[in-house]
Amino acid sequence: LRREALENPDTFKKLVTPYLREIFLSPVQFFEASLGREREEIRGTEEIVVPDAEIVEMAEGEFAVVLNTPPSLRLSINEELVGLRKKKDTMSAKDLSFWQEKLREAREVLSCLSYRHRLLLQVLEYIVEQEKGFLSHGFPYFVPLRQRDIAQALGVSVSAVCQILKNKYLQFPDGVVRHVKFFFDASYPVKEMIRIILKEEDPRHPLSDEEIMAELKKRGFSIARRTCTLYREEMGILPSYLRKRISSR
C-alpha cells in the first residue's frame, strides 16, 4: 500500500477513498517508506557510496561511532505552526483543529526519526564494542555476529535490528567503506586468509583449490574444496590455470 501511494498517489486515493473508515495509514508510515527510496535513489545516481556512519579510533583499542546525518533528515517544525496557541483566538475552531493535527503529525515524524537514529547508534556501538579485537588486531580476532544476539542485548526485536541495518554502510578506521552486513559474514576470516595465501604463491605455479584448502588447514581453517572454490569465485579470483596463463604473458 505504501509503495502504491508513493508511486501513484492519485490512483491510490481513488482506490482507497471508499475504505477510509476501515483503513488507517499513518503519515509516519508514509514518511518512513519514502526515506528508504530516497536513499536508494541518491545512491543510484552516485558512483560512490555515502557511509551512514564512521568508526573513529579515539585512542589505541578505543573506538567510537559517528553518524553521518544526510541533509534531508535534518528537519524541524515550522515556527509559525508551533506558535498556533498564540493565534487560537483569531482562528476558527475548524482551522485550529486542522493545524493542531498537522502539528501532532509533524512531532510524530520527528519522534520517529529521533528513535531511528538513537537505535542505529546503539546497534552500531554494540557491534563496535564486540569487534574491538578485530578493529585493533585484524581478522584473526574477527567474531561474526548475529542479529538475534544484538536484539537481545538491546532489548528490541530482531526485525527492528534488521530494518535499522538495511542498506547501511560504514566507514572503517582505515578509510574503507563496507556494508554493515560485513560483520555478519562468517566467511570473512577464511576469505582474508585465502587472499594472504594467494599473495604468497609463486605466480609461475599458482595454487589449485586443493592446495589452497591444504594451506588453510595448516593455518587452522578446515573447509571443503567446494567451499574454497565458492569463496575464491566470490572474491573474483580466477582459477589456477587462468592465473598461470595471465602471469606467463
Side-chain angles (χ1 to χ4, degrees):
L1 287 173
R2 294 180 202 170
R3 189 181 302 112
E4 185 67 24
L6 290 167
E7 294 177 354
N8 305 294
D10 294 334
T11 305
F12 179 80
K13 185 176 180 181
K14 292 179 183 179
L15 291 171
V16 173
T17 298
Y19 309 100
L20 285 180
R21 292 185 179 180
E22 289 79 17
I23 298 177
F24 173 72
L25 298 170
S26 166
V28 176
Q29 291 177 317
F30 286 115
F31 191 81
E32 283 285 316
S34 65
L35 285 180
R37 291 193 60 200
E38 176 189 319
R39 296 178 71 87
E40 289 174 4
E41 288 169 2
I42 290 173
R43 284 183 179 140
T45 57
E46 296 178 349
E47 294 183 0
I48 60 172
V49 175
V50 179
D52 299 278
E54 182 179 355
I55 303 173
V56 180
E57 187 170 9
M58 308 300 292
E60 188 174 352
E62 294 296 327
F63 300 89
V65 177
V66 179
L67 292 182
N68 298 328
T69 307
S72 59
L73 296 184
R74 295 170 189 162
L75 303 174
S76 60
I77 298 176
N78 189 301
E79 290 297 327
E80 293 184 9
L81 194 59
V82 177
L84 279 177
R85 292 181 180 178
K86 299 178 182 179
K87 302 179 181 179
K88 63 180 181 180
D89 295 333
T90 61
M91 298 178 65
S92 66
K94 183 178 180 180
D95 289 343
L96 181 62
S97 175
F98 172 82
W99 287 112
Q100 285 177 337
E101 176 64 18
K102 294 303 176 185
L103 180 59
R104 185 195 64 78
E105 292 177 357
R107 284 174 174 159
E108 190 177 351
V109 168
L110 292 182
S111 175
C112 183
L113 286 174
S114 177
Y115 172 77
R116 181 192 187 100
H117 283 202
R118 289 198 310 272
L119 181 58
L120 176 60
L121 182 61
Q122 289 174 355
V123 171
L124 295 179
E125 286 179 338
Y126 177 86
I127 291 174
V128 169
E129 182 65 26
Q130 299 302 308
E131 298 292 355
K132 270 186 177 181
F134 160 68
L135 294 170
S136 299
H137 307 294
F139 77 89
Y141 296 86
F142 178 79
V143 180
L145 302 176
R146 297 190 306 172
Q147 292 183 356
R148 181 183 303 173
D149 295 335
I150 298 174
Q152 290 177 351
L154 300 180
V156 296
S157 66
V158 178
S159 61
V161 174
C162 179
Q163 286 296 320
I164 207 70
L165 293 179
K166 185 178 180 182
N167 295 326
K168 293 297 186 296
Y169 289 82
L170 288 175
Q171 182 172 326
F172 283 62
D174 59 3
V176 178
V177 177
R178 300 182 177 96
H179 198 286
V180 73
K181 67 182 180 181
F182 167 90
F183 288 108
F184 303 92
D185 184 4
S187 68
Y188 168 69
V190 183
K191 289 178 179 177
E192 284 300 304
M193 184 56 73
I194 291 175
R195 202 183 304 276
I196 290 173
I197 290 171
L198 293 182
K199 281 183 180 180
E200 298 172 352
E201 73 176 358
D202 182 354
R204 295 171 298 179
H205 304 284
L207 298 175
S208 66
D209 291 341
E210 288 280 357
E211 292 169 328
I212 295 173
M213 183 185 68
E215 285 295 322
L216 285 170
K217 192 170 184 179
K218 291 179 185 178
R219 306 188 192 199
F221 295 94
S222 182
I223 63 172
R225 187 194 61 78
R226 286 185 299 176
T227 306
C228 181
T229 303
L230 176 64
Y231 288 172
R232 175 181 56 73
E233 291 174 348
E234 288 179 353
M235 294 164 65
I237 298 173
L238 297 172
S240 57
Y241 72 92
L242 288 178
R243 299 204 303 277
K244 183 177 181 180
R245 185 180 301 173
I246 291 173
S247 62
S248 63
R249 291 179 182 176

